Amino acid sequence: MGELRESLQDITECGLPTALEAMGERWSFMILRAAFNGIRHFEDFLTEISIARNILANRLSRLSESGILHRTPCPDDRRKVEYRLTEKGLDLLPTMIALRQWGEKWGTGVPSNPVLVDELHHQPILPVTIRSHDDRVLGHMDLCWMNSADIKPISNAVFAEHDDRVRKLSAI
C-alpha cells in the first residue's frame, strides 16, 4: 500500500478505535442487526436475539450513550421505552452488510436467507466494495496512504467525463 503508511501508534487520529469502542463486541452488532430489522422494544430484543437481560440492558445503554440508538418513551404507553436507530446508527448499515457478506463468504460459505435486495428491482445487492472517486472498484493493491496536504483537487474535466459516463449508462 505504498511507501507512506498510517501511524499505528497514534490511535487518537484513527476512527477505528472509536468505532470499536462504540460497537465493542458481538452483542452490540446483534442488537444493531435487530434494530435494522425493526425491533424497537427491550422485551422484543430479548426474545429475538436470545440475550441475557443484564447484557441487553448494558449494551442498549452503551449504544444509546454512543448516539447509535435513541431511547424514547413509547407514544402509546409512556412506561415502555422504544429504541430507534439514529442517523449515526443508520450510517453503520454498510458496515453491517460488509460484515455479513464477509461471514457468508468465509464463515458459513453460503448466502443467508432471506436475501437482501434493492427495493426497486428486487435483485440481490452487490458485494460491498471500496470505490474510487470515479466509481472504480479498488482492491488492496490499488490503495496507498497520502498526507492530506499533498492531495490535489481533480479538474472539473475529470468529473465532467465521469458525469457523462453516468448519464450514458442511465440512458440504457
Side-chain angles (χ1 to χ4, degrees):
M1 287 187 30
E3 292 178 29
L4 184 65
R5 66 176 222 179
E6 181 179 28
S7 170
L8 301 177
Q9 265 119 43
D10 188 7
I11 63 170
T12 60
E13 296 292 319
C14 179
L16 189 56
T18 303
L20 291 173
E21 185 68 33
M23 290 305 296
E25 44 67 66
R26 175 182 178 223
W27 287 118
S28 295
F29 283 100
M30 299 312 288
I31 291 166
L32 191 59
R33 176 178 167 239
F36 275 115
N37 278 279
I39 303 301
R40 307 257 184 273
H41 305 285
F42 186 92
E43 295 298 325
D44 295 334
F45 282 111
L46 205 59
T47 303
E48 288 291 328
I49 60 177
S50 302
I51 184 174
R53 202 178 250 316
N54 62 326
I55 294 172
L56 176 60
N58 176 278
R59 297 315 183 272
L60 285 171
S61 201
R62 284 182 64 196
L63 290 168
S64 297
E65 288 167 8
S66 296
I68 293 169
L69 293 176
H70 180 67
R71 181 188 155 125
T72 56
C74 289
D76 55 334
D77 184 352
R78 308 286 287 165
R79 294 170 296 171
K80 287 179 84 177
V81 173
E82 190 172 80
Y83 294 90
R84 291 193 171 266
L85 289 160
T86 63
E87 184 178 349
K88 184 177 180 179
L90 290 168
D91 277 351
L92 285 166
L93 182 59
T95 303
M96 297 292 294
I97 292 170
L99 283 169
R100 181 178 179 155
Q101 289 174 347
W102 183 88
E104 290 170 350
K105 180 177 180 178
W106 297 103
T108 64
V110 295
S112 299
N113 196 29
V115 175
L116 189 59
V117 300
D118 76 271
E119 184 77 34
L120 181 63
H121 297 116
H122 293 177
Q123 292 299 303
I125 62 166
L126 294 174
V128 175
T129 57
I130 301 168
R131 305 191 78 79
S132 68
H133 70 280
D134 62 355
D135 208 30
R136 290 174 293 123
V137 175
L138 303 174
H140 78 281
M141 295 300 289
D142 299 315
L143 304 172
C144 66
W145 294 102
M146 279 184 73
N147 286 317
S148 58
D150 295 334
I151 299 173
K152 305 288 186 245
I154 296 177
S155 73
N156 287 339
V158 172
F159 285 120
E161 180 184 311
H162 173 66
D163 289 345
D164 189 47
R165 184 176 61 106
V166 171
R167 274 194 294 278
K168 287 178 184 172
L169 287 174
S170 64
I172 295 175

